[in-house]
Amino acid sequence: MLYPSVDSLKSKIDSKYTLVTLAAKRAREMQESRNPLLQKYTSHKNVGKALEEVAAGVLSKQQQDDSIIYEDEV
């Protein structure tokens, strides 16, 4: 993968694991709903498009609400 570089993405997201999780979730969302956040993408695949959104600053990690209890935490 040439663009965006991992180094530029690491300045936006603190962890590679968080970056992968965020990109995978956004790629699934793009596959289901087809709602682009950018006008033009360089990548043809959804994961690459999600990483481009992170690099552009339109997609970022959200704080988890501690009051919400998820199924896998019970």
Side-chain angles (χ1 to χ4, degrees), residues 13-31:
I13 305 291
D14 57 347
S15 167
K16 286 190 274 187
Y17 303 106
T18 304
L19 178 65
V20 168
T21 304
L22 180 66
K25 286 181 180 181
R26 175 64 181 142
R28 273 190 229 106
E29 181 182 303
M30 290 169 77
Q31 186 175 5

Side-chain angles (χ1 to χ4, degrees), residues 55-69:
V58 296
L59 183 63
S60 61
K61 182 177 115 174
Q62 295 178 348
Q63 285 290 81
Q64 184 175 352
D65 187 0
D66 292 335
S67 66
I68 298 174
I69 300 174

Side-chain angles (χ1 to χ4, degrees), residues 38-42 52:
L38 298 177
Q39 295 294 326
K40 185 176 179 186
Y41 293 96
T42 304
E52 287 182 41

